[in-house]
Amino acid sequence: MKLKKNDSVKVLVGKDKGKSGRILKIDHESQRAVVQGVNMVKKTMKKRSQQDQGGIKEIEAPIHVSNLAFLLKSGQTTRIGYKFDEQGAKVRFAKKTGEVI
């Protein structure tokens, strides 16, 4: 999987199309990512202690990585590739601009 935690991404399809955020968590097995502020769903939470508030909370639900695009600092979306640099280390690069991520 080419996307990683803390990458900035933009949603390409779905109810949150056009929104962007930072990846909080990635599940490699199911190829899904939790993006900050995107795909919000309401979940009922049980009261766990005296201080804890139960009720309905809004949390981010996972979204499939095929529906996300990496976001460059300039605001453009791009695909990600891998290449080896001069030292022989494997690095990610933006296919649109060629810059190393």
Side-chain angles (χ1 to χ4, degrees):
M1 190 177 307
K2 298 185 177 173
L3 293 174
K4 296 188 178 200
K5 187 177 176 181
N6 292 326
D7 281 349
S8 293
V9 292
K10 185 175 183 179
V11 179
L12 300 176
V13 294
K15 66 176 185 179
D16 292 322
K17 180 179 178 178
K19 287 187 181 178
S20 59
R22 191 172 51 88
I23 294 180
L24 301 175
K25 193 169 102 176
I26 287 195
D27 182 12
H28 292 281
E29 202 169 289
S30 63
Q31 294 188 346
R32 292 181 170 273
V34 176
V35 182
Q36 185 177 21
V38 174
N39 200 19
M40 300 298 284
V41 294
K42 293 187 187 297
K43 182 171 175 143
T44 54
M45 304 293 268
K46 187 182 268 191
K47 187 175 178 180
R48 302 219 181 262
S49 65
Q50 290 288 344
Q51 296 84 12
D52 188 26
Q53 287 266 323
I56 300 171
K57 308 253 176 148
E58 278 205 36
I59 62 164
E60 294 99 352
I63 187 168
H64 198 270
V65 292
S66 66
N67 300 328
L68 302 173
F70 186 80
L71 201 59
L72 296 171
K73 293 194 181 0
S74 63
Q76 287 182 305
T77 59
T78 183
R79 292 183 296 149
I80 298 174
Y82 284 106
K83 66 180 178 181
F84 293 96
D85 62 359
E86 295 82 33
Q87 291 80 24
K90 190 176 182 182
V91 294
R92 296 188 305 162
F93 74 100
K95 290 200 172 189
K96 196 172 270 187
T97 61
E99 66 183 80
V100 174
I101 299 169

